[in-house]
Structure formats: structure tokens, C-alpha cells
């Protein structure tokens, strides 16, 4: 069974190659921008600086066929669902981060781990429990 | 731009209608089961009881066209991206929960908020920061 995603915008980060990307979110990392496509801008009503959001995005360069992996930073081989690797059947990135500022259809945040231009899937308030 | 999801399994919960579903995750809620399709079972290697996981799932009954909403529990109208409503352009549910036990292709957790039979998209270790 399948379903289709619609990209709601893209993410601007300083990372132009996969080797540039950090391995995970860093709350003190460089500024990144969530750019929402104009037709979705009105769906931002109620978001403001200081709000913790869950950002979902699409690792569009990932390998979707890997069930076991042996990343350099992990001892031995693990199943894909025991790793946060971008290479997975549904390569959805998920990061909780704080809104630094909002201007029109652009949301400034910090320290995302993805390539410049990564497609954006969703934004929602983070649960208190993470 | 679009992308296609593959369902990796489904979630068994006690909830047979949308009215039955709780509004959010409840860590002390009833037991639910993540049932992984057999072809993905080997991707579970390394997961075990006690591990905190992020579970991503697909609200397949959601309305994907709502940009603003006025839920009963919220004062006034808010943008969809300022709400955790299942009704959103990409209706992906995201919950951090603890593995109670694993048996073969089945993972027992507690307190998910979705309908019985909801398609499962991804499982990954939760970030310490949520």
C-alpha cells in the first residue's frame, strides 16, 4: 500500500553536499530557514517566535532499500529502524526545534541536519513530552 | 513536487471510530501494537524493550485541504501548522513512546492516538532532546 506526499516548501541550510551535513540536529548550530510555498502560508497562523515545533522533511537523496546498515559511528550492524540514518524505506527527517523568528512565509530556526533545498513536509507544535 | 510513501506495516489500537480516538498520546494509555510487514522485520535488529522510539504513521482518513481550523478545544481559528490536528496537507502522525516488548515483527507500546489499522511509516530511536 502506498500514499503520496505533497511538498509544502523547502529548507535552506548551509550544506551543499552530503559530506557537509552534520549527523544530527544541533540546537546551537547555524541558522536555517523553512520556506513555505505561498499557497500554504495562511496555515502558519498562530505560530510565533519561541514556539517549539516538530519539523518533518524528506531526504530526497536517500537509499530506500537498506534494511540493515553499519554506519561508521556505530559498533556492528543494526536494523534501519534502530538507526536515525536518512537511508530508510520512508526517508522522513524529524527534528524538534524552536522558532527564532517568522517573516511572511519564512521561519528561521537553528541547526537542522539536512541539505540545502530539502523538501519540507510538515510543521506542528512539539509535544511537551517530545 | 511529490513523493511516494510505502507502508511498512500497521498499528493495532483499541479505537474503531474517530470519536473513540484520544486527542493525543498518553504514556499511561492502553497497549497498542506496531505490526511490521514481514519483509521489513530484519530492519528491527537492535531495538529492544525500554528504548524510546519515534513512531511515524499515516492518518489515512484525514482531510488534506484544510489550511485553517477551529477545533473545539482551541480558542478561535488557527493555521493547520500551528495545530497537531490529523487534518493537514501531509497527515503524518508523530509520537515518541517507549518499547514495552518486542516479539518477532510485533512491538508493544502504550497510548497511541490513532485508529485501529492505521498504516505505519517509520520507527527510529528518539532524540534525547525529543
Amino acid at each position: 500500500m502506498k500514499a503520496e506526499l505533497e511538498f509544502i516548501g523547502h529548507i535552506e541550510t548551509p550544506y551543499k553536499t552530503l559530506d557537509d551535513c552534520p549527523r544530527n540536529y544541533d540546537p546551537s548550530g547555524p541558522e536555517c530557514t523553512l520556506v513555505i510555498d505561498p499557497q500554504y502560508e495562511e496555515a502558519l497562523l498562530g505560530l510565533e517566535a519561541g514556539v517549539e515545533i516538530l519539523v518533518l522533511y524528506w531526504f530526497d537523496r536517500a537509499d530506500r532499500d537498506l534494511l540493515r546498515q553499519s554506519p561508521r559511528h556505530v559498533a556492528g550492524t543494526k536494523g534501519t529502524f534502530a538507526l536515525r540514518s536518512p537511508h530508510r524505506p520512508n526517508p522522513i527527517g524529524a527534528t524538534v526545534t524552536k522558532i527564532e523568528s517568522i517573516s511572511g512565509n519564512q521561519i528561521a530556526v537553528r541547526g537542522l541536519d539536512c541539505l540545502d533545498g530539502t523538501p519540507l513536509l510538515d510543521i506542528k507544535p512539539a509535544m511537551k513530552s517530545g
Side-chain angles (χ1 to χ4, degrees), chain A:
Chain A
M1 294 216 303
K2 294 167 188 282
E4 199 167 72
L5 293 167
E6 301 231 2
F7 299 156
I8 62 163
H10 66 276
I11 305 179
E12 294 177 355
T13 74
Y15 312 118
K16 305 297 184 190
T17 72
L18 290 174
D19 282 345
D20 293 343
C21 293
R23 209 160 59 224
N24 263 313
Y25 168 64
D26 174 5
S28 59
E31 188 167 297
C32 301
T33 307
L34 312 179
V35 182
I36 287 74
D37 287 348
Q39 71 266 35
Y40 294 109
E41 184 176 333
E42 64 172 299
L44 299 179
L45 178 73
L47 291 177
E48 57 189 19
V51 172
E52 295 264 334
I53 51 174
L54 172 65
V55 182
L56 299 179
Y57 42 103
W58 186 251
F59 291 115
D60 58 347
R61 309 265 293 273
D63 181 339
R64 301 181 64 175
D65 294 325
L66 293 180
L67 296 181
R68 295 199 171 174
Q69 302 180 47
S70 308
R72 272 170 300 178
H73 65 286
V74 171
T77 296
K78 282 197 170 183
T80 291
F81 300 142
L83 295 166
R84 289 183 65 93
S85 161
H87 305 295
R88 50 205 315 115
N90 294 300
I92 300 170
T95 297
V96 173
T97 185
K98 192 166 66 178
I99 295 177
E100 301 260 317
S101 63
I102 302 189
S103 174
N105 67 333
Q106 306 208 358
I107 302 178
V109 297
R110 285 207 173 273
L112 296 184
D113 57 358
C114 58
L115 279 173
D116 189 41
T118 293
L120 184 61
L121 297 177
D122 200 9
I123 297 166
K124 59 182 108 197
M127 287 282 283
K128 291 287 181 280
S129 63

